[in-house]
Amino acid sequence: MKYVILDLEWNGTFYKAWKTFFNEIIEFGAVKVDDQMRVLDTFSCVVCPQIGRKLSGKVKRLTNITSEELENGIRFPKALRQLKEFLQDAVLMTWGTSDILTLMENCRYYTGQNRIPFLRKYVDLQSYCQDRLRYDPGKQMGLSTAAQKLGISEEGVEHHRALDDSLLSLECCRRVFDPNSFQPFIQDAQRHEFYDRMSFKTTILCDLNNPLIDRSQMEFSCDCCGTPAIRLTDWEFKSKSYRARFRCPSCQQEFLGRVQFKLKYEGLQVKKKSIPIIQEEPEEKAPELPQ
């Protein structure tokens, strides 16, 4: 089996016809490897933008792509055909889902379909590396963070250039790659469910009246003795979660109860946490001196 690690650079521009911002791809970079993660070939091209003719200042600073490079770039349909020829029957991998979603967005603009017609198998390499490194599943691990954790030198790497980032992703994959653990992460991109899952936007529920919220999931027990706690304050929504103060009627311990409701494609995810409240001892007053 062969694998292709793809990285994209894009320019955010406002597309009047859709009345929204559009991430227009300006560079493709990819590396093809065998099942031993040995490099077989690389692919790189700059794409001449058709919607946003000028790069934003941020993109210019990050990529160092010049106006001359863009003018001499190829059109997206041709770049897509070249990627198809390069990919063939290999498994496509990207670091996180941003690149694959952006590729879907650009395919939609040029073909009218929100699909990548030649894509068969796909792996979210970021998700796989996070799993292997036992990284906090509630957070996203950036490529540089992964490289640092794996002791990979980034000297000479031109960040935010597509081919360099795809090669750095490969180095991260090599350090953690195991065929048995990797297999479950390969998704069938020819199933309709694949695009439904990719397009689904995870949402934090911030309305307590939402019918998806089960209020019994907002009850807490004391971590010290297990007694059901009494809520002392109203619920406050802060930093993407609900918070309230609780007291245990048995041992009188007070704590902050925090609960988050996150709607994902798989269903509602509930996260709860108790944070002890440290009671400060009142300061002793200094004795008054006699007059």
Side-chain angles (χ1 to χ4, degrees), residues 247-254 279:
R247 179 192 294 128
C248 173
S250 179
C251 62
Q252 298 301 309
Q253 294 292 326
E254 290 194 10
Q279 301 289 343

Side-chain angles (χ1 to χ4, degrees), residues 25-257:
I25 296 172
I26 57 173
E27 187 178 38
F28 284 81
V31 56
K32 181 182 286 186
V33 297
D34 61 15
D35 55 6
Q36 301 297 314
M37 294 293 127
R38 294 174 295 204
V39 175
L40 301 174
D41 201 0
T42 60
F43 166 69
S44 178
C45 70
V46 173
V47 180
C48 179
Q50 301 302 300
I51 302 174
R53 297 288 182 169
K54 293 183 179 180
L55 294 185
S56 69
K58 180 180 179 181
V59 173
K60 280 184 178 179
R61 290 191 300 272
L62 287 175
T63 65
N64 291 317
I65 294 177
T66 65
S67 299
E68 185 178 2
E69 284 182 280
L70 289 179
E71 290 172 4
N72 294 327
I74 61 178
R75 298 291 180 94
F76 178 83
K78 183 177 181 180
L80 194 65
R81 288 195 299 271
Q82 290 183 1
L83 176 63
K84 177 184 177 181
E85 293 171 3
F86 183 78
L87 180 66
Q88 295 183 351
D89 60 349
V91 176
L92 184 67
M93 304 192 291
T94 61
W95 189 269
T97 58
S98 296
D99 285 317
I100 196 75
L101 288 170
T102 299
L103 186 56
M104 287 164 54
E105 186 179 24
N106 281 252
C107 284
R108 178 188 169 200
Y109 173 77
Y110 283 99
T111 69
Q113 296 183 352
N114 195 29
R115 286 174 172 256
I116 304 166
F118 51 84
L119 182 61
R120 296 182 180 181
K121 302 289 184 180
Y122 170 76
V123 171
D124 177 354
L125 191 53
Q126 180 190 55
S127 179
Y128 175 67
C129 288
Q130 286 191 187
D131 182 77
R132 294 287 286 165
L133 291 171
R134 298 182 180 179
Y135 194 75
D136 184 349
K139 298 180 181 179
Q140 289 191 331
M141 180 171 58
L143 182 56
S144 288
T145 300
Q148 291 169 13
K149 286 184 173 294
L150 293 166
I152 298 171
S153 172
E154 297 177 72
E155 185 177 353
V157 176
E158 192 173 355
H159 286 293
H160 300 292
R161 290 308 299 257
L163 183 56
D164 277 32
D165 281 347
S166 68
L167 290 168
L168 184 58
S169 298
L170 169 60
E171 287 302 316
C172 291
C173 184
R174 278 175 172 160
R175 299 293 177 95
V176 299
F177 182 74
D178 170 71
N180 294 327
S181 65
F182 191 75
Q183 191 65 33
F185 284 83
I186 299 178
Q187 302 177 49
D188 185 354
Q190 294 182 307
R191 297 179 61 184
H192 184 72
E193 179 190 2
F194 173 80
Y195 289 95
D196 288 345
R197 183 184 296 273
M198 280 292 168
S199 302
F200 188 88
K201 293 184 178 180
T202 299
T203 305
I204 302 293
L205 302 187
C206 55
D207 181 4
L208 281 177
N209 294 319
N210 191 303
L212 293 175
I213 293 179
D214 180 357
R215 296 298 288 265
S216 67
Q217 294 175 316
M218 303 182 77
E219 297 173 357
F220 283 79
S221 295
C222 177
D223 287 342
C224 297
C225 65
T227 302
I230 299 172
R231 181 161 55 88
L232 303 176
T233 62
D234 291 336
W235 287 106
E236 177 188 15
F237 189 77
K238 184 178 180 181
S239 300
K240 300 182 180 180
S241 63
Y242 292 98
R243 303 177 181 207
R245 192 165 181 146
F246 287 81
R247 179 192 294 128
C248 173
S250 179
C251 62
Q252 298 301 309
Q253 294 292 326
E254 290 194 10
F255 61 90
L256 188 70

Side-chain angles (χ1 to χ4, degrees), residues 3-17:
Y3 305 94
V4 167
I5 300 175
L6 173 69
D7 189 86
L8 304 172
E9 301 299 332
W10 60 78
N11 182 47
T13 185
F14 188 78
Y15 182 37
K16 293 181 180 179

